[in-house]
Structures are given as structure tokens and as C-alpha cells.
Amino acid sequence: MADVLHAHATSNGPADPSADDAGQPAAGGQERGPSVFSLELATLSTADPLRWLRRGWEDFRACPRIGLFYGLCFFLMGHALLAVFQNAPAYVLALSAGFLLMGPFLCLGLYDASKALEIHDHRPSLRASLQAWRPTKSTMAIFAGVLLILEMLWGRASLVVFAVSFNTLPEKANLLAMLIDPENIGFLITYTVVGAVFASIIFTTSVISIPMIMDRKVDAVSAGLTSIRACLQNPGVMLLWGALITGIILLAMLPLFLGLFIAGPVIGHATWHAYRQIVPAAD
């Protein structure tokens, strides 16, 4: 009997260590990593966004020079948006997505600083923060391209709304009067709904994608899908988080955009802590 068993094992050959759980060998003889859909994302509470902001403020106080540098970048972005409003009002709503589009990428350095404060793998520094994009530059470029396409679609949709609503684009001097004119309520509703749809798509896709790409070196699709999963799993909390970000940025823009020196970096640090709570730590 022993000889028969030995012959049977020999005829089947030794077990292939490169085979996966389904019996199929992984590409290159390496074990496949877990699917992005297998990540167990955290279930959030309504108190979490305020906790993220508090921890973001603590990180800002721990490395204020880094935060103020990026705050200056947000300040300059605000004035660029003001220049667009003064010269091309039809584009202002679409280009306001620059904060949604550029913000997460600009905050890469802030994510790096928060990560350094959390795991102590290196001392937070402006130089290190400016180089945080290098290890994942290809993936970041792909993800930026996707968001840029959404931005361009938003801009085109905004122009279509203007073109359908008015024979000519409103003059800058009459823009405010146009916006508060009750006769244009249909335009205002349509314009706001279009902007809200595109802003929601960009926010849902990118809310934790950039810190995840930087931290776990995942591909752009996996990061985007994980961000969407997080929003679908915690819709109320993520809606609150988006509303807090929008409200804080709007308030920070009121005093000549000076509030962005503080609000921008604090939200950047807070986004890192949102990601760290939502996505489990990599093994």
C-alpha cells in the first residue's frame, strides 16, 4: 500500500508553491496580493470628522513651517481663482474644483509630514515633503489625468449651462446682479446642481485616494475604488466631512484668502488621519 501511495504522489508531481488558493499559479510565480475589495474598511461615526480636524491641528502645530509653506500655496491658488472670477466668470464654478483637483496632490507633503509624526520613520521636513510624490509618480500622474478629465467635463458643462441660459455671457459688472435676480432662479439651480454632481464625483473618487497611493503604493484604480467604497459604506459621515471641508474653505477665503494659510494645511493633515482610520494599516 505504501508503494502504491508513493507512486501516486510521484505521478502527480510535487505541489507547486507558486499556485494560488484556487490552484492556479500566480503570475511570475509570485503569490497574488489581496484584492482591494477584500479590505475591511472602518465604520465611522459622526464624531470622527471633528476628531480628524483636531489631529490635523495638532500636526500643524508640530511642524508649522511645513504647514505655512503649503498654506501659502493655497493662498496663491485662492487669488488665482479670484482672477478667473474677475476675467472669466463662466469658468469660476468649474475652476473652483481646482481645490478639489489640486488640493489632494498639493497636500502630499502634508500627508508625508503626518505619516512621519505618526510612525517616526523620518523627521518631518520641507525637503522630504516636497519629494513625497517621487516613489509613486507614475500612479499619481494617472490619477491626476482622470481627475483632469473630470475637471474639463465640468468646465464644458458649465459653459453649456451658461449658453442655454443666456444669449451672451454676463458682464463682470453685472454678474452679482444677475445671480440675485429672481428671474434667473432656474439658471442658478441648474448651475448649482451641475457643479454639485461633478464636485461629488471628484470628492468621492479622491477623498482618500492620494494618501492611500502614497502610503500603500497601490495602483490608481484600486485607490479610487477604495475611496468610493469608503463613501458608500459611510455616506452620512463622508457627506459631513465634505461639508466641513467646503465650509471651512469658504470661511477661510473671506478675509482675502488669508485663512487658507491655516485651513489648507490643517485639512491636509486631517485627511491623512481620515485615511488612516478608514483603511486598515498595511501588514
Side-chain angles (χ1 to χ4, degrees):
M1 178 64 70
D3 293 339
V4 172
L5 292 175
H6 176 73
H8 178 72
T10 303
S11 63
N12 286 338
D16 184 359
S18 67
D20 58 15
D21 293 339
Q24 298 296 326
Q30 297 179 351
E31 185 178 354
R32 294 177 182 176
S35 167
V36 65
F37 294 104
S38 68
L39 287 175
E40 295 184 5
L41 305 183
T43 299
L44 306 174
S45 70
T46 53
D48 288 327
L50 295 178
R51 188 178 302 114
W52 301 335
L53 288 172
R54 183 173 66 251
R55 297 194 65 180
W57 170 248
E58 293 171 354
D59 286 358
F60 176 78
R61 293 181 59 190
C63 47
R65 289 193 304 170
I66 298 175
L68 288 175
F69 170 81
Y70 288 100
L72 173 62
C73 295
F74 283 110
F75 173 78
L76 296 176
M77 285 175 59
H79 279 277
L81 183 61
L82 178 61
V84 172
F85 176 78
Q86 293 174 340
N87 294 280
Y91 288 95
V92 69
L93 181 59
L95 292 184
S96 65
F99 285 98
L100 291 171
L101 178 62
M102 296 298 298
F105 293 97
L106 191 59
C107 286
L108 263 172
L110 297 168
Y111 305 152
D112 178 80
S114 288
K115 181 178 181 179
L117 290 170
E118 179 180 328
I119 66 177
H120 307 288
D121 64 336
H122 66 272
R123 182 179 180 181
S125 69
L126 182 58
R127 175 178 294 182
S129 72
L130 291 173
Q131 297 177 350
W133 58 275
R134 289 181 177 274
T136 55
K137 57 184 178 182
S138 298
T139 304
M140 292 293 182
I142 294 172
F143 197 80
V146 173
L147 295 185
L148 180 60
I149 292 173
L150 291 174
E151 169 76 5
M152 294 173 65
L153 290 174
W154 189 350
R156 178 59 61 182
S158 297
L159 285 178
V160 169
V161 173
F162 263 95
V164 170
S165 303
F166 305 98
N167 294 327
T168 59
L169 292 180
E171 297 180 0
K172 293 178 288 184
N174 299 327
L175 181 60
L176 183 58
M178 180 205 71
L179 292 177
I180 62 176
D181 189 343
E183 293 183 0
N184 296 324
I185 187 65
F187 160 75
L188 290 176
I189 293 175
T190 304
Y191 200 62
T192 301
V193 169
V194 169
V197 169
F198 280 97
S200 299
I201 294 173
I202 294 175
F203 175 81
T204 301
T205 307
S206 63
V207 60
I208 61 170
S209 298
I210 308 302
M212 184 175 181
I213 291 172
M214 187 198 76
D215 181 46
R216 301 176 68 104
K217 309 296 188 296
V218 299
D219 60 90
V221 174
S222 296
L225 289 175
T226 303
S227 184
I228 293 171
R229 282 184 59 209
C231 291
L232 293 178
Q233 182 172 319
N234 302 279
V237 177
M238 299 310 289
L239 180 61
L240 174 61
W241 179 229
L244 281 174
I245 292 175
T246 303
I248 292 171
I249 292 298
L250 289 177
L251 289 175
M253 293 171 64
L254 292 179
L256 299 176
F257 301 96
L258 292 174
L260 294 177
F261 274 97
I262 306 298
V266 168
I267 290 175
H269 287 302
T271 300
W272 168 259
H273 292 291
Y275 155 72
R276 290 296 278 177
Q277 180 174 351
I278 294 170
V279 181
D283 296 331

